[in-house]
Amino acid sequence: MMGNHAAVTVILTVWKRNNLREQIEAMLSQTVPPAHIWVIQCMQHVQVRDVLRDYPQVKYFQSDEDLKYFSRFSISIHVQTEYAWVLDDDIIPASPWIEMCIRTCRQHNAIVASNGRIIPPSDFYPERVKGTGYVNRYFVGDSRTLDSVNLCEADTRIDFPCSSYFFRTEWLQYFWGIWPVTFETAEDIHFAASCQIMGGIGTVVPRQTSPSDSGNIRPSYSLDEFASWKKDGFTTTRAEVIRYFIDEKGWKPLLW
């Protein structure tokens, strides 16, 4: 398909946040609407059936087990569209985002994310802020204030994405080509590293200049008590995953 149009399946997740209606509305408002919207809910911490009744076209998958972050990429195997977009429950994109992702994915042959990380040389803890200017250099696309949106001055290569993953569905063969070190966290690192190692696929944060083209206009949603980065041991476990991919699988971050 030519231009910035293609069939996309969006995979939303529900845990303890109650943002589903806003997310679905954001999907339906896209300049290139998705062909399919799937919702995965593990456990039933919030009630979403009333919301889903208003959107009969949305497919709903529910599990009484906590299948954690990797479940999105398990069910993605069944996607039949050219592209898939997996996003966390705190991401609300501007209306051109899918169109931008298709263009960026094709141009760079890369996973597309609204924000992500560059790993400093010899640093296995890239998400621990170290001094003035660290965030500006290594946290790409993140909002800078509580009331801002995700912004990025130019298309930027990164080592791994955060919270939002737009990709060619066929790249899931690389995701599952290396078995995860842990299912507790680091699906973002795992995806980027396995795609780079096995398929030569990079990760890019596209140019975002305002709320009208941002990949996430509600960054404050990720600051609540449910944020994974606030959990004990978060950076330690993720450091183990980074070390495994570098030492055991030959992954080479951009600055290493």
Side-chain angles (χ1 to χ4, degrees):
M1 191 171 293
M2 300 301 292
N4 296 325
H5 291 72
V8 178
T9 298
V10 171
I11 299 180
L12 306 174
T13 55
V14 177
W15 179 239
K16 294 183 178 180
R17 294 183 174 119
N18 202 10
N19 300 325
L20 183 59
R21 184 181 296 277
E22 188 176 4
Q23 285 194 304
I24 292 174
E25 286 294 327
M27 299 304 114
L28 298 178
S29 299
Q30 292 291 302
T31 56
V32 178
H36 307 285
I37 301 174
W38 294 358
V39 173
I40 305 174
Q41 182 176 25
C42 291
M43 317 292 282
Q44 295 190 54
H45 296 293
V46 296
Q47 177 57 252
V48 299
R49 292 187 183 274
D50 289 343
V51 173
L52 291 170
R53 271 194 284 268
D54 294 335
Y55 305 99
Q57 72 273 42
V58 173
K59 305 304 183 203
Y60 176 59
F61 305 84
Q62 194 273 326
S63 170
D64 290 332
E65 295 291 332
D66 179 7
L67 301 178
K68 303 186 183 295
Y69 307 103
F70 284 77
S71 62
R72 291 109 40 103
F73 296 94
S74 298
I75 203 165
S76 297
I77 292 172
H78 301 284
V79 167
Q80 296 186 23
T81 53
E82 181 179 0
Y83 294 97
W85 180 23
V86 173
L87 59 156
D88 290 358
D89 56 6
D90 55 357
I91 300 294
I92 309 294
S95 60
W97 186 248
I98 288 180
E99 185 175 0
M100 290 170 59
C101 284
I102 293 170
R103 180 179 66 246
T104 305
C105 187
R106 287 174 172 167
Q107 179 180 351
H108 298 282
N109 195 42
I111 300 165
V112 183
S114 59
N115 64 308
R117 306 286 178 260
I118 295 174
I119 304 175
S122 303
D123 184 356
F124 292 95
Y125 296 86
E127 291 156 309
R128 291 182 181 176
V129 177
K130 307 168 187 72
T132 303
Y134 184 90
V135 169
N136 288 336
R137 184 172 182 182
Y138 300 112
F139 285 48
V140 178
D142 285 54
S143 60
R144 294 292 181 254
T145 63
L146 291 177
D147 59 351
S148 68
V149 302
N150 284 14
L151 298 172
C152 187
E153 293 182 357
D155 290 4
T156 303
R157 286 284 304 275
I158 58 172
D159 286 312
F160 63 89
C162 298
S163 307
S164 177
Y165 321 95
F166 186 98
F167 55 93
R168 290 187 180 275
T169 306
E170 65 187 58
W171 294 345
L172 287 165
Q173 65 183 304
Y174 305 132
F175 186 103
W176 293 110
I178 299 176
W179 200 248
V181 178
T182 175
F183 285 96
E184 294 300 318
T185 184
E187 79 288 0
D188 45 6
I189 299 168
H190 177 95
F191 192 19
S194 61
C195 281
Q196 182 65 57
I197 293 166
M198 300 189 69
I201 307 300
T203 306
V204 169
V205 174
R207 182 174 184 262
Q208 303 159 76
T209 59
S210 72
S212 64
D213 65 2
S214 176
N216 187 18
I217 62 173
R218 302 279 190 265
S220 61
Y221 286 3
S222 69
L223 303 177
D224 61 15
E225 67 271 29
F226 307 124
S228 59
W229 57 270
K230 292 184 177 182
K231 295 180 180 178
D232 291 340
F234 176 78
T235 56
T236 299
T237 303
R238 290 166 71 82
E240 294 172 359
V241 174
I242 292 173
R243 188 179 297 276
Y244 170 78
F245 273 105
I246 292 173
D247 293 348
E248 302 296 328
K249 296 298 181 180
W251 185 37
K252 188 174 181 181
L254 295 170
L255 300 181
W256 288 48

